[in-house]
Amino acid sequence: MHWRILLALFSFVGVATAVEPRKPNVIVVVADDLGYADLGFQGCKDIPTPHLDALAKCGVVCSSGYVSHPFCSPTRAGLLAGRYQQRFGHENNPKWLPNDKEVGLPLDQVLLPEVMKNAGYVTGAVGKWHLGAHPVYHPNRRGFDDYFGLLGGGHQYFDHNQFKTDPAKANETPVEVGEYLTDALGREAAAFVTVHSKVPFFLYLAFNAPHTPLQAPDKYLDRVKDIKDEKLRKYAAMVCGMDDAVGKLTAKLAELKLTENTLVFFFSDNGGPVGVTNCRNTPLRGAKGQLYEGGVRVPFVVSWPGTLNPGKFDEPVTSLDVFPTAVAAAGGEAPKGVTLDGVNLIPHLKGEAKTTLADRPLFWRTGGGESFAVRKGALKLVRVGKTPDALYDLSVDIGEKTDLAGTNAGTLAALQKELDAWNKTLVEPKWEALNAPRKK
Ligand code: CA
């Protein structure tokens, strides 16, 4: 018997009271280090992604979809807390420190799964955690009723024993993954919705694919055999695997007749690391780690058939919007005394909002102040180290090629003022970057 079925039999979650009309299920799917241009619905021609393309086709594709950080763990922290992660010091990837209580998504943050639980949802996390290795940070202690995945940030896809310190776990019990890791995550996501199909559920499906190491089985490599470049071919095969895993989940939703009553988000946790996997962020400038568009602008889909008409949405949206959107869909209550940094997207995506998102500022900071960016309207300021601030007009220059700072002093100064005011609301990073030089 699948471990999830056993769990459901011996817990209360399987007997939660269903109300009519039933609350919508919410699923957040996060890809890891996916290139901006590497999915069919983003214009890709050489990697077949039929399941994600189908999700996009029946949902809203957000053409200006952003994440709150250009690399893994901070984006995931901001997503689950609904706040700029620099507000609570989660600005660098945490090291693997299972004995250190100080390194992980700070415990004073109220997380989305906790709020969803309070709204009557069963909550599950499948995949990469990367939000603290000490037991106090375990997903089961941060609002997730059940969990299957790996607690660290990087993982082998075949040889799961290679990382003996961080075995796959079902809740807190080490388990065999049993197959190619991405396939297993699709299997577990489908099993979660099967077991909890009678109650509203919240599922966080966080892939580590297509992050390195570049490892894929022949069944996926065969689909992209025409790609000549070996690195790109392996990466592309991993994208195919992720697409299949998403397909397993969406097919299960359809089989259970839950498609129309399920709100699904899909995006990548950061832009593609072009120089590492040869993935493509075309036509964006830059890559993972940077605050040019290639680091933070990502494929972004919101699907809720029956509630949202399929189409395209061009106003800027961010991963920070997921929290308030999910809570609103669930009829839940946002944590008291906490200022969330995103908005409920549903009225905007339905065309019913009285306000526009076009002019709200979106901010970024890395390394405690090594680089900054702010986008407001179509204009974006990028500050890298001590070099002068650059200014780009994304409406005509999505590739950030032409610096307008020299001829737009007033606009630049206004953005600098907003950025500096935002920066004053942040705290210092709670821990150093993984590869930070030792401080004297
Ligand atoms: Ca990542």
Side-chain angles (χ1 to χ4, degrees), residues 193 247-260 262:
V193 305
K248 238 182 253 178
L249 174 62
T250 52
K252 185 56 74 179
L253 291 174
E255 181 191 323
L256 296 167
K257 301 196 176 359
L258 295 175
T259 303
E260 292 228 333
T262 302

Side-chain angles (χ1 to χ4, degrees), residues 10-334:
F10 290 101
S11 72
F12 292 108
V13 295
V15 293
T17 308
V19 291
E20 295 295 337
R22 188 181 143 165
K23 291 183 173 195
N25 310 302
V26 179
I27 300 178
V28 181
V29 182
V30 178
D32 197 352
D33 288 18
L34 176 66
Y36 184 73
D38 290 329
L39 300 173
F41 72 87
Q42 292 286 96
C44 182
K45 302 290 183 212
D46 55 6
I47 308 176
T49 54
H51 303 107
L52 284 162
D53 295 350
L55 185 76
K57 196 174 175 189
C58 73
V60 181
V61 176
C62 298
S63 62
S64 294
Y66 289 93
V67 281
S68 62
H69 216 75
F71 53 86
C72 305
S73 181
T75 288
R76 293 159 193 255
L79 166 70
L80 292 184
R83 308 174 68 218
Y84 283 113
Q85 58 282 351
Q86 302 92 340
R87 295 198 189 285
F88 47 89
H90 200 123
E91 196 166 341
N92 290 311
N93 282 334
K95 295 174 189 173
W96 178 258
L97 295 169
N99 297 315
D100 190 337
K101 263 189 186 176
E102 300 302 314
V103 179
L105 176 45
L107 300 173
D108 59 356
Q109 297 304 302
V110 180
L111 304 189
L112 179 56
E114 299 175 273
V115 177
M116 297 300 274
K117 262 173 85 83
N118 288 340
Y121 281 62
V122 175
T123 57
V126 172
K128 167 170 163 171
W129 184 239
H130 206 198
L131 294 169
H134 190 279
V136 295
Y137 298 110
H138 189 283
N140 287 153
R141 295 197 180 83
R142 303 311 301 274
F144 287 106
D145 293 311
D146 80 43
Y147 164 70
F148 178 95
L150 301 118
L151 294 171
H155 291 282
Q156 304 291 314
Y157 290 83
F158 293 112
D159 182 3
H160 308 294
N161 288 324
Q162 185 163 344
F163 286 10
K164 287 192 188 301
T165 52
D166 182 19
K169 287 183 176 172
N171 294 318
E172 302 197 44
T173 308
V175 290
E176 292 294 324
V177 169
E179 55 187 320
Y180 181 59
L181 179 56
T182 307
D183 291 347
L185 300 186
R187 176 194 75 208
E188 293 296 329
F192 175 83
V193 305
T194 303
V195 169
H196 302 296
S197 64
K198 304 293 186 208
V199 291
F201 57 78
F202 169 69
L203 171 63
Y204 172 49
L205 171 55
F207 289 104
N208 59 321
H211 192 296
T212 55
L214 295 176
Q215 298 169 348
D218 288 343
K219 63 179 177 176
Y220 299 133
L221 285 163
D222 286 347
R223 295 184 199 171
V224 289
K225 59 181 182 305
D226 291 338
I227 296 178
K228 299 273 182 287
D229 180 85
E230 188 183 352
K231 269 191 190 174
L232 178 61
R233 186 168 63 250
K234 286 186 178 169
Y235 158 86
M238 294 166 75
V239 174
C240 291
M242 182 180 68
D243 185 70
D244 263 29
V246 169
K248 238 182 253 178
L249 174 62
T250 52
K252 185 56 74 179
L253 291 174
E255 181 191 323
L256 296 167
K257 301 196 176 359
L258 295 175
T259 303
E260 292 228 333
N261 200 35
T262 302
L263 166 62
V264 181
F265 296 89
F266 171 82
F267 52 90
S268 178
D269 68 339
N270 50 254
V274 176
V276 179
T277 60
N278 292 345
C279 64
R280 287 89 37 114
N281 290 332
T282 328
L284 310 181
R285 175 179 178 178
K288 175 181 180 180
Q290 298 180 313
L291 294 182
Y292 295 111
E293 295 288 274
V296 291
R297 188 171 181 151
V298 292
F300 201 118
V301 174
V302 187
S303 164
W304 192 0
T307 296
L308 297 177
N309 290 326
K312 190 160 152 276
F313 187 73
D314 293 325
E315 295 169 26
V317 305
T318 158
S319 51
L320 301 175
D321 296 328
V322 170
F323 191 122
T325 305
V327 172
E333 280 188 40

